[in-house]
Amino acid sequence: MTTKITVKTGLHARAHCPVSVACALPVGQAVSLKAADGTVLPAQVFEQNGASALAFVIDSLPAKTEVSYELCDGAAPVAGVTLKQHDEQIDVLCGGALFTTLHYGSKWAKPFLFPVIGPYGSTMTRSYPMIPDVAGEPKDHPHQKSFWTAWGDVNGTNSWEEKTAFGTIVCKDARILENGPVRARIALSCDWLSENGSKLMEEEREYVFYMLPASARAVDMSVRFKATNCPVTFGDTKEGGICSIRVASSMDASGAGTIVNSYGAVGESETWGKRAEWCDYYGPVPGGTVGICIMDNPTNYCYPTYWHVRNYGLMTANPFGLSYFLNDKKANGSLSIAQGTGVDFRYRVLFHAGCCQHAGVATKYHDYVNPPKVTIAEA
């Protein structure tokens, strides 16, 4: 009996596209896939919603193509994605090289990922204030730490800025859920606290890191906010982002960088406060041009989201700041969740080589929201 995995690419060409399919294999079993030409693809069995699923990455297939693979025992000989936890941080290594580090310790007001190492070995996000004196970096907005989540009005508490009185996001637990040849996953459990230390709500956050070429690293982030203690209101403010990035200063659109959204709008004047399925920020770093794209998920509240994106290097997915974005004080974008309920958000963040067009960001977005169809059957 042979287990066959069939992929139908659909209307889009696929390159370095992560996919998964439900399966009956034991979680953690070492497997790989073999194509008809003998090519072996790394594969990984992981836990998904209490069941097993099989993950792998499509290397390169044209649109409107169907291809089958044979499931084989034994892992492909690749380094994959490895997580290493130490000193209140978790290093993410892709193919043995550092990609990023999650910082969640008590010395910080909120968890964040830094650095993010791009295709040319250069850091793609701003180093300040984690590294305070980097030549050419401005020292504005010290609360904008690389790659993070925060909001400026949660029941009146400002967890976005870090001034004299502000809320904090305290990590209670950081867990490595899986490592492997295809993907690795981290889970965080956090309490959002007011400036006086009272609990506002709980957050469950997960990051999935895929083993893709350095020219196109991808991170899936999911966030669940839970109103465990009281009703929770996310206030209408531009000062916040569920998925937030501060790009490397050399990439700033006030200089040599460029902002582009899914509708083709360019620059802060055309993209700030506008809705779009994705927003891409690209520019030069030592070695070449790189870009960062945040992709909104159709299941998210207020999809397609509004964007708080600035020429000085900030890019955030902001679904609640309508009165600012519409320039209408009568507009109210706030969201309230009743005690005992919650709200979920999901994003994919693509760290790519080249400009938006060179990286094929529009097609990569379809990899995320309109993925190939994958089936598994005994043959």
Side-chain angles (χ1 to χ4, degrees), residues 303-323:
Y303 172 87
T305 191
Y306 291 85
W307 295 90
H308 180 29
V309 56
R310 295 297 200 189
N311 284 339
Y312 69 73
L314 174 68
M315 176 172 59
T316 78
N318 179 323
F320 306 131
L322 271 64
S323 68

Side-chain angles (χ1 to χ4, degrees), residues 41-327:
L41 297 183
Q44 182 175 337
V45 185
F46 67 99
E47 184 274 330
Q48 185 175 60
N49 299 324
S52 296
L54 178 72
F56 59 101
V57 175
I58 296 171
D59 185 25
S60 180
L61 289 174
K64 301 180 181 180
T65 297
E66 180 176 327
V67 63
S68 295
Y69 305 91
E70 179 184 345
L71 182 70
C72 303
D73 290 330
V78 295
V81 191
T82 304
L83 304 176
K84 296 184 178 180
Q85 191 164 18
H86 60 96
D87 302 324
E88 296 187 309
Q89 60 190 48
I90 299 175
D91 295 332
V92 182
L93 294 89
C94 294
L98 181 68
F99 167 55
T100 190
T101 297
L102 172 67
H103 302 264
Y104 59 87
S106 56
K107 66 180 290 188
W108 306 110
K110 58 182 74 74
F112 60 93
L113 292 161
F114 172 80
V116 178
I117 307 299
Y120 307 109
S122 297
T123 300
M124 297 179 69
T125 56
R126 188 178 67 162
S127 297
Y128 178 79
M130 292 72 66
I131 303 175
D133 295 303
V134 175
E137 281 197 345
K139 296 185 178 182
D140 60 89
H141 303 86
H143 54 280
Q144 296 179 4
K145 294 181 174 67
S146 185
F147 180 2
W148 78 104
T149 295
W151 197 254
D153 181 355
V154 178
N155 288 2
T157 290
N158 187 343
S159 300
W160 176 255
E161 297 181 343
E162 298 173 19
K163 296 182 179 179
T164 53
F166 57 89
T168 55
I169 304 171
V170 177
C171 180
K172 300 181 296 183
D173 187 31
R175 306 176 301 283
I176 294 175
L177 299 182
E178 59 184 286
N179 294 274
V182 176
R183 45 178 273 164
R185 183 163 50 126
I186 297 171
L188 300 180
S189 296
C190 300
D191 284 341
W192 286 51
L193 305 180
S194 72
E195 57 272 16
N196 62 18
S198 61
K199 187 160 86 171
L200 299 167
M201 65 178 181
E202 295 181 2
E203 177 199 351
E204 297 294 332
R205 189 185 313 178
E206 288 193 6
Y207 296 101
V208 178
F209 304 91
Y210 293 100
M211 187 60 226
L212 304 181
S215 60
R217 300 277 191 228
V219 180
D220 285 349
M221 185 182 81
S222 62
V223 174
R224 179 167 177 79
F225 298 115
K226 301 187 293 182
T228 49
N229 289 48
C230 59
V232 170
T233 297
F234 291 87
D236 183 329
T237 176
K238 65 181 177 64
E239 302 299 335
I242 309 303
C243 185
S244 309
I245 295 282
R246 180 67 188 258
V247 302
S249 297
S250 61
M251 298 169 61
D252 290 354
S254 57
T258 303
I259 304 165
V260 181
N261 74 14
S262 59
Y263 296 107
V266 179
E268 179 182 318
S269 63
E270 295 184 3
T271 59
W272 185 87
K274 303 299 193 299
R275 303 180 81 167
E277 288 88 356
W278 53 261
C279 193
D280 190 85
Y281 210 128
Y282 65 87
V285 296
T289 296
V290 298
I292 303 172
C293 182
I294 300 176
M295 302 178 177
D296 196 21
N297 191 293
T299 64
N300 287 345
Y301 173 79
C302 199
Y303 172 87
T305 191
Y306 291 85
W307 295 90
H308 180 29
V309 56
R310 295 297 200 189
N311 284 339
Y312 69 73
L314 174 68
M315 176 172 59
T316 78
N318 179 323
F320 306 131
L322 271 64
S323 68
Y324 294 86
F325 301 146
L326 303 179
N327 194 26

